[in-house]
Amino acid sequence: MEIKVLGAGCAKCKRLYEEAAKAIAQSGVQARLLNVETLDEIQKHGVLMTPALVIDGEVKCAGRIPKLPEMVSWITTAAAKTEG
């Protein structure tokens, strides 16, 4: 699984990255966490507001930092889809 945090490196983007790392740990899922800061890469996902969270190519949120349980749920749901 690949999880991306999209953002230019602002405080909110860094916080989302930290929270995403916690969510991965809580979920128990093997995932690679990437920080995407280049405008070209961010635009490829169609995101207009950062920070944004992308799980396996699907934008889960943009312009906000989701709560930890919400991110854990997204990660476990995505993991279940790839297993099934």
Side-chain angles (χ1 to χ4, degrees):
M1 173 180 296
E2 185 174 82
I3 299 173
K4 296 179 182 178
V5 174
L6 310 181
C10 67
K12 283 186 177 182
C13 298
K14 290 175 184 175
R15 186 162 154 242
L16 178 56
Y17 186 90
E18 292 167 5
E19 292 297 307
K22 289 179 193 175
I24 291 167
Q26 278 191 20
S27 71
V29 173
Q30 290 287 334
R32 185 169 61 143
L33 181 60
L34 303 170
N35 199 14
V36 178
E37 295 183 346
T38 62
L39 190 56
D40 287 344
E41 281 297 310
I42 292 169
Q43 288 177 335
K44 284 181 184 177
H45 293 282
V47 170
L48 299 177
M49 293 181 68
T50 60
L53 186 71
V54 178
I55 299 176
D56 284 341
E58 183 180 343
V59 177
K60 292 295 186 176
C61 73
R64 68 181 181 96
I65 299 172
K67 301 245 183 262
L68 193 59
E70 188 176 18
M71 285 192 283
V72 171
S73 173
W74 290 336
I75 292 167
T76 55
T77 299
K81 285 181 185 176
T82 58
E83 289 175 7

